[in-house]
């Protein structure tokens, strides 16, 4: 959203990629980290609230998620 909430939070809407062959989990995490890094330098909000459209997310995509990588991602963004 272009404006911050009254609590100075930024709401971000996103959806998964529509790529033939499905989700590439590692590439999406890299993209999220790069965008977050840029926003930390250039935006003046207290926190980000992500609203994610998971309509196209399938069980096949879920099986591609690496749990150790997900844990490292969680530690890095907190």
């Amino acid at each position: 959203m272009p404006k911050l909430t009254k609590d100075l939070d930024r709401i971000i809407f996103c959806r998964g990629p529509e790529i033939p062959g499905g989700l590439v989990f590692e590439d999406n995490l890299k993209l999220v980290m790069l965008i977050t890094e840029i926003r930390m330098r250039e935006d003046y909000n207290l926190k980000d609230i992500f609203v994610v459209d998971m309509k196209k997310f399938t069980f096949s995509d879920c099986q591609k998620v690496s749990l150790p990588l997900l844990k490292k991602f969680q530690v890095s963004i907190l």
Side-chain angles (χ1 to χ4, degrees), residues 57-72:
F57 193 75
T58 65
F59 183 70
S60 168
D61 294 327
C62 187
Q63 291 176 325
K64 296 177 185 176
V65 174
S66 163
L67 292 179
L69 182 63
L70 189 59
K71 175 68 175 175
K72 288 178 184 178

Side-chain angles (χ1 to χ4, degrees), residues 32-59:
V32 168
M33 292 301 293
L34 289 171
I35 290 170
T36 302
E37 205 171 305
I38 291 170
R39 292 179 45 79
M40 285 172 52
R41 294 174 189 229
E42 298 183 4
D43 202 359
Y44 298 104
N45 59 322
L46 293 180
K47 67 180 177 182
D48 293 328
I49 300 172
F50 285 89
V51 179
V52 181
D53 178 10
M54 301 294 283
K55 186 187 327 183
K56 305 250 178 182
F57 193 75
T58 65
F59 183 70

Side-chain angles (χ1 to χ4, degrees), residues 25-37:
F25 189 69
E26 289 83 7
D27 292 344
N28 285 314
L29 286 183
K30 288 177 192 176
L31 181 62
V32 168
M33 292 301 293
L34 289 171
I35 290 170
T36 302
E37 205 171 305

